[in-house]
Amino acid sequence: MGSKSIASPAVGPEGTQPHLVLEELKMPFSHASIGHFFQDQPRLGNQFLEDSLLQGYLKRHLPPVVLEEAGQDLERFGQRLVDEIDSLGRECELNPPHLKHYDAWGRRVDQIITCPAWQKMKVVSAEEGLVAEAYERKYSSWSRLIQIVKLYLYSPSSGQFNCPLAMTDGAAKVIESLGTQDALQDAFGHLTTRDPEKFWTSGQWMTERKGGSDVAHGTETVAHAQADGTYKLYGYKWFTSATDSDMTLTLGRVVDAQGHVLKGTKGLTLFYLEVRDAKGQLNGIEIQRLKDKLGTRQLPTAELLLDGVKALQISPEGRGVASISNMLTITRIHNTIAAAAGMRRVLNLAREYASKRFVFGSLIKDHPLHMQTMAHMEVQARGAFLLLMEVARLLGLKETNMATEQDQHLLRLLTPIAKLFTGKQAIAVISEGLECFGGQGYMEDTGLPAMLRDAQVLTIWEGTTNILSLDVLRSVVKSQGQVLSAFFSSAQEKLEASSNIPSLSQSTSRLLQALQNLKDFTKKAGMRGNGFMELSARDFAYSLAKIYIGCLFVDHAAWAGATESDAYCAKRWCEQDLCPVNTAEAFGCYSSDAASMDRQIVYEKSPLLKRNL
């Protein structure tokens, strides 16, 4: 802004200078005025209607009748997100839960107080059938995929209520696979109802102080049998998500007649419990504190003392870990939903903002470098979406007994791969997404930084990247290589349709070469021992993810209804190193010398190097 010089102003009768007063009124930053320019904020549109890949995918895969019905519901739901749900999610962020230990008269109450918006999210979840959709199976095997699409639209606006829904879905899956007891059937009805008055959410109380992912050696909770056939649980749960839920599943060790427990995985049994009794009192539970977290602050997460909790044994004794495998499948898929959805949301907001932000002589959407950056992000987000949909499709087939043996092996392999890979993608893409808003991307009152803070949990919850990479190896070993055979067969099948399409020839060629490199690596690895495979586990999982996503890209782009953008995305995806495990092996990254040097450079100059390592 320029200032105007004023020469020899006239003085009024009382010593005022009218010219100066007029000039001051014109000055945009005088007194309370803060200027005339205000940047328009990005506006949320109907997320179903604005997602071309989602609509194309559904059009390609769903039967016409299912597409018409589901499409109408998803369009309606997309508008409800704009009109109601997104603002509720923001309220949850601004009003996190707090813990009230005592009432006014000194009685211990341990009440977790959540905001009205959080409570309303529970009503919305029931009304929209965000869990029920998958278990009603109205559309046979497509019901699960439709549910996951709905959660994909909902997740970024959920105020983290997607987390209790993940555990509710997981608990319902476990009960469906195990439950014959009346109490479990009643619980299943509550978890899968569309009636807000009857709908329950479930927690998942597995982690203890020693624990993390190593529940086999970290679980200290013990279970004492009672005369009425129930158990009383005693222990300390260090991390319990959605602690305000109505029920939960948890692990414990049954105490025998001599007062002994069996250590390790074989000593763990699965229990069902309701958090409060019929009078609304906590069921032998003391809430020690709420966790102070980097993100997901909307979600009440607590440390709990279990002091005689009444519980029901629901798995055979010693089969607790095996019995929660279905839950882990579901919750890891929910993790993938949150990752893919978070990327999509930040991109949709960023592209809307790019059409409003005018800098350096033009809107930022007209700056080629900015569009190139967003295109890189878009390819990542589309890849994550296609992988999520493939897992959803396979799960739907399995749940309706329509999955082939290859489908089941592929689902077992892709579930941890999707979780670990998309979690990493989400952090990178959302971080880049904040840059698209410049300084506003760093301001808490825009709501944008919360997206990045919340994304960080995706690489940690339900197993870190390394833990999930090792799980991928376990699936290979346990299946005697059948999951890998299913992977290679499926990848090859998806590439067949694209082999004769000119716009996809380069992408297909690169994927075929990457597949061959991966096959060659697995042959070498089989002769190198466990240490070699453990060192390569992370790159191996990344290679599986990158190759399979590439195959999904070209498979979709080969569809008759595909667009030019679909082929372009396939091309851009395949420009990267699709088989990093092969590249790293060529550089000797998995040798014993490399392992020794890895430790050396991490602990160089540290007193720990000589003392303990």
Side-chain angles (χ1 to χ4, degrees):
M1 302 296 296
S3 62
K4 191 178 288 185
S5 63
I6 303 171
S8 304
V11 178
E14 296 181 11
T16 60
Q17 300 175 351
H19 191 178
L20 279 178
V21 171
L22 289 173
E23 288 298 315
E24 186 176 0
L25 289 173
K26 293 177 183 177
M27 293 296 287
F29 297 110
S30 62
H31 299 299
S33 182
I34 55 174
H36 303 300
F37 174 77
F38 296 92
Q39 176 63 52
D40 285 342
Q41 68 187 72
R43 301 289 179 181
L44 189 70
N46 188 310
Q47 298 299 283
F48 175 68
L49 295 180
E50 294 184 7
D51 196 327
S52 60
L53 180 60
L54 169 57
Q55 291 193 46
Y57 184 92
L58 296 180
K59 184 177 180 181
R60 177 188 175 197
H61 287 277
L62 294 185
V65 174
V66 176
L67 176 64
E68 183 176 359
E69 284 191 26
Q72 290 176 358
D73 183 59
L74 291 169
E75 181 177 344
R76 176 203 57 79
F77 182 60
Q79 195 57 45
R80 188 178 185 185
L81 285 167
V82 176
D83 296 339
E84 176 189 6
I85 298 172
D86 194 63
S87 60
L88 291 174
R90 181 62 177 152
E91 285 183 46
C92 293
E93 169 73 18
L94 296 174
N95 299 283
H98 62 278
L99 176 60
K100 179 181 177 182
H101 273 303
Y102 299 95
D103 68 10
W105 303 99
R107 297 181 183 87
R108 184 153 185 171
V109 291
D110 285 357
Q111 182 182 2
I112 295 175
I113 300 172
T114 57
C115 69
W118 181 262
Q119 296 159 30
K120 177 62 176 176
M121 282 296 192
K122 186 176 182 181
V123 174
V124 168
S125 299
E127 291 174 344
E128 294 292 346
L130 295 181
V131 176
E133 185 80 55
Y135 296 91
E136 292 166 347
R137 304 210 170 96
K138 177 181 178 181
Y139 301 115
S140 186
S141 68
W142 298 114
S143 291
R144 177 60 81 173
L145 186 140
I146 292 167
Q147 179 227 18
I148 287 175
V149 167
K150 207 164 185 179
L151 287 166
Y152 168 77
L153 296 173
Y154 172 71
S155 179
S157 296
S158 70
Q160 290 302 306
F161 203 82
N162 57 332
C163 182
L165 291 181
M167 291 175 287
T168 302
D169 197 352
K173 189 66 188 168
V174 169
I175 291 173
E176 186 181 52
S177 62
L178 293 178
T180 55
Q181 303 172 57
D182 289 342
L184 288 185
Q185 291 305 309
D186 181 62
F188 182 78
H190 282 293
L191 297 174
T192 58
T193 184
R194 288 179 183 257
D195 184 348
E197 296 296 322
K198 298 178 180 178
F199 180 57
W200 282 4
T201 57
S202 176
Q204 179 179 306
W205 300 357
M206 306 297 171
T207 306
E208 303 190 7
R209 281 181 170 142
K210 290 182 179 179
S213 297
D214 190 7
V215 294
H217 300 97
T219 302
E220 298 177 311
T221 296
V222 294
H224 290 267
Q226 305 299 299
D228 62 358
T230 64
Y231 285 79
K232 285 194 173 182
L233 305 183
Y234 299 85
Y236 196 92
K237 297 296 181 180
W238 188 79
F239 196 97
T240 61
S241 288
T243 317
D244 64 329
S245 292
D246 303 277
M247 57 153 283
T248 193
L249 302 182
T250 190
L251 294 170
R253 301 185 188 279
V254 175
V255 179
D256 66 19
Q258 290 72 43
H260 301 138
V261 296
L262 187 62
K263 299 296 183 183
T265 304
K266 294 181 179 179
L268 292 175
T269 301
L270 186 62
F271 294 89
Y272 157 83
L273 64 93
E274 295 175 19
V275 176
R276 294 181 180 271
D277 61 23
K279 296 180 180 179
Q281 302 299 310
L282 285 170
N283 173 18
I285 298 165
E286 285 188 4
I287 304 175
Q288 302 303 304
R289 64 168 177 159
L290 292 182
K291 309 293 272 188
D292 187 10
K293 299 167 290 180
L294 168 68
T296 66
R297 296 171 183 172
Q298 313 92 316
L299 173 71
T301 307
E303 292 182 27
L304 304 179
L305 175 67
L306 308 187
D307 188 16
V309 174
K310 183 177 180 179
L312 184 68
Q313 178 184 333
I314 63 171
S315 76
E317 190 170 326
R319 296 285 296 167
V321 172
S323 299
I324 62 169
S325 62
N326 284 320
M327 172 180 279
L328 292 177
T329 296
I330 298 296
T331 52
R332 286 171 177 176
I333 292 172
H334 275 261
N335 202 95
T336 307
I337 296 169
M343 287 184 267
R344 173 50 52 208
R345 178 60 58 85
V346 80
L347 268 160
N348 283 2
L349 290 173
R351 73 183 188 183
E352 215 271 339
Y353 185 70
S355 70
K356 294 180 173 181
R357 177 64 173 160
F358 189 89
V359 291
F360 301 113
S362 63
L363 293 167
I364 56 177
K365 73 179 180 63
D366 297 323
H367 288 278
L369 181 59
H370 188 73
M371 285 296 96
Q372 181 192 70
T373 302
M374 288 193 64
H376 286 315
M377 297 160 60
E378 181 71 32
V379 171
Q380 291 294 320
R382 291 190 181 207
F385 171 81
L386 288 173
L387 184 57
L388 169 63
M389 289 297 100
E390 178 73 350
V391 172
R393 184 184 69 83
L394 292 169
L395 178 60
L397 291 172
K398 182 180 179 183
E399 290 181 323
T400 51
N401 299 315
M402 297 167 66
T404 65
E405 187 176 1
Q406 176 174 301
D407 292 334
Q408 294 182 60
H409 285 310
L410 200 56
L411 177 63
R412 172 64 184 93
L413 182 67
L414 291 182
T415 299
I417 287 172
K419 189 276 183 190
L420 72 89
F421 191 74
T422 60
K424 287 294 188 186
Q425 283 180 298
I427 293 171
V429 170
I430 293 172
S431 177
E432 190 77 67
L434 298 195
E435 281 194 57
C436 293
F437 300 92
Q440 289 298 90
Y442 200 67
M443 299 298 112
E444 283 288 351
D445 55 0
T446 66
L448 295 167
M451 298 181 72
L452 183 58
R453 286 190 281 101
D454 291 344
Q456 185 63 67
V457 79
L458 298 173
T459 60
I460 297 171
W461 185 57
E462 297 299 2
T464 62
T465 307
N466 284 352
I467 292 295
L468 270 292
S469 298
L470 294 174
D471 186 57
V472 169
L473 293 188
R474 276 193 296 275
S475 72
V476 174
V477 173
K478 193 171 182 179
S479 70
Q480 297 181 319
Q482 291 184 75
V483 296
L484 270 187
S485 296
F487 173 90
F488 286 123
S489 296
S490 177
Q492 199 78 38
E493 289 166 9
K494 293 185 184 305
L495 293 177
E496 287 175 2
S498 64
S499 58
N500 295 318
I501 300 175
S503 62
L504 297 173
S505 60
Q506 185 180 18
S507 301
T508 303
S509 177
R510 287 185 59 82
L511 285 163
L512 286 170
Q513 183 59 59
L515 268 178
Q516 188 57 53
N517 290 343
L518 188 61
K519 288 178 181 178
D520 293 342
F521 173 82
T522 56
K523 289 177 183 177
K524 294 178 191 174
M527 299 181 286
R528 301 285 289 274
N530 293 337
F532 177 85
M533 275 309 296
E534 183 173 335
L535 271 178
S536 66
R538 193 178 178 113
D539 292 333
F540 181 64
Y542 284 2
S543 300
L544 290 167
K546 290 183 176 185
I547 292 171
Y548 203 78
I549 289 173
C551 292
L552 292 170
F553 264 124
V554 298
D555 180 52
H556 185 71
W559 166 52
T563 67
E564 185 180 5
S565 296
D566 294 322
Y568 182 77
C569 286
K571 178 182 178 181
R572 286 286 172 250
W573 181 267
C574 293
E575 288 173 347
Q576 64 183 307
D577 182 358
L578 295 169
C579 192
V581 72
N582 185 67
T583 305
E585 193 275 333
F587 280 98
C589 294
Y590 312 131
S591 67
S592 57
D593 288 344
S596 177
M597 284 306 301
D598 288 344
R599 182 176 298 187
Q600 174 68 33
I601 63 172
V602 170
Y603 284 97
E604 192 168 22
K605 288 294 184 180
S606 167
L608 294 171
L609 185 61
K610 292 182 179 179
R611 190 167 73 230
N612 293 329
L613 301 178

